[in-house]
Amino acid sequence: MGEIKQDWLKDAEQAPTENAVMVMDDNKNFIADLTSRTTTFCSMVANSPKEKALLFKAMNNPEKRIGDCINMTINAKDLFCEVVDCINKETGEVQTCPRMVIIDDKGIGYQAVSLGVYSALKKVMQVFGQPTWKEPLPLKVLQITKGDRKLLTFDVELK
């Protein structure tokens, strides 16, 4: 199994990605992972087949990247978060990272693997409560600079 991981990591390191590469852990218990909800958070309650399909699309293949929406406003209704393992390109270390997906009032998913997005959404939830938000929460996507790093965050733009 270790050889498979090394080959997979070698391929993953060569994959064209901007921020991080997901990796599989040799010791992961896949059955427990499938049945556990401890590594995910989802505010959306999907009852109908149409709602379930919308939620699955947002979780599995969101339409947009938050990083492509700088200075745009997302009318957030729901959130999905999962824990993923990423490789730090500079150090080669595996890090645990939050993958956040914002689901807007039209059902469009916006994703980022970003501590800045995670931190900002955590604060949004502390102030505005947990989603589902009855009224969409207008989150303006911002990019700020801290030292030599650029981070994504939000402003809340209530009218």
Side-chain angles (χ1 to χ4, degrees):
M1 196 87 156
E3 290 177 352
I4 294 171
K5 180 178 181 182
Q6 288 175 348
D7 290 343
W8 192 88
L9 283 172
K10 183 179 174 188
D11 293 341
E13 288 170 349
Q14 295 172 359
T17 119
E18 194 170 309
N19 297 322
V21 177
M22 289 179 51
V23 297
M24 300 299 275
D25 182 0
D26 281 344
N27 299 319
K28 185 170 267 190
N29 183 331
F30 291 105
I31 302 301
D33 190 41
L34 284 175
T35 59
S36 171
R37 295 192 185 266
T38 59
T39 60
T40 63
F41 166 83
C42 184
S43 65
M44 185 176 186
V45 177
N47 294 314
S48 71
K50 186 177 179 178
E51 291 171 331
K52 290 177 182 181
L54 184 124
L55 176 58
F56 179 76
K57 183 176 183 179
M59 293 167 67
N60 193 53
N61 191 25
E63 293 180 44
K64 300 193 179 203
R65 292 176 21 157
I66 295 172
D68 293 337
C69 299
I70 296 169
N71 295 321
M72 295 172 56
T73 299
I74 300 170
N75 291 312
K77 287 287 283 181
D78 285 290
L79 296 176
F80 171 76
C81 176
E82 67 181 329
V83 177
V84 295
D85 291 331
C86 302
I87 295 176
N88 181 314
K89 287 184 176 183
E90 295 172 9
T91 66
E93 291 180 69
V94 176
Q95 299 172 307
T96 301
C97 303
R99 176 179 173 263
M100 304 297 296
V101 180
I102 299 171
I103 303 167
D104 76 3
D105 57 343
K106 294 178 177 67
I108 296 172
Y110 299 78
Q111 79 165 337
V113 177
S114 164
L115 289 174
V117 168
Y118 170 79
S119 178
L121 289 172
K122 187 171 144 181
K123 291 171 187 155
V124 164
M125 289 170 62
Q126 288 172 342
V127 174
F128 293 94
Q130 288 193 1
T132 299
W133 292 297
K134 187 175 180 180
E135 291 295 320
L137 197 57
L139 301 176
K140 183 175 182 179
V141 180
L142 303 174
Q143 185 176 51
I144 60 172
T145 303
K146 292 214 175 188
D148 61 344
R149 296 183 50 161
K150 294 183 180 193
L151 302 172
L152 294 172
T153 189
F154 300 101
D155 265 346
V156 177
E157 293 197 319
L158 294 176
K159 296 177 183 178

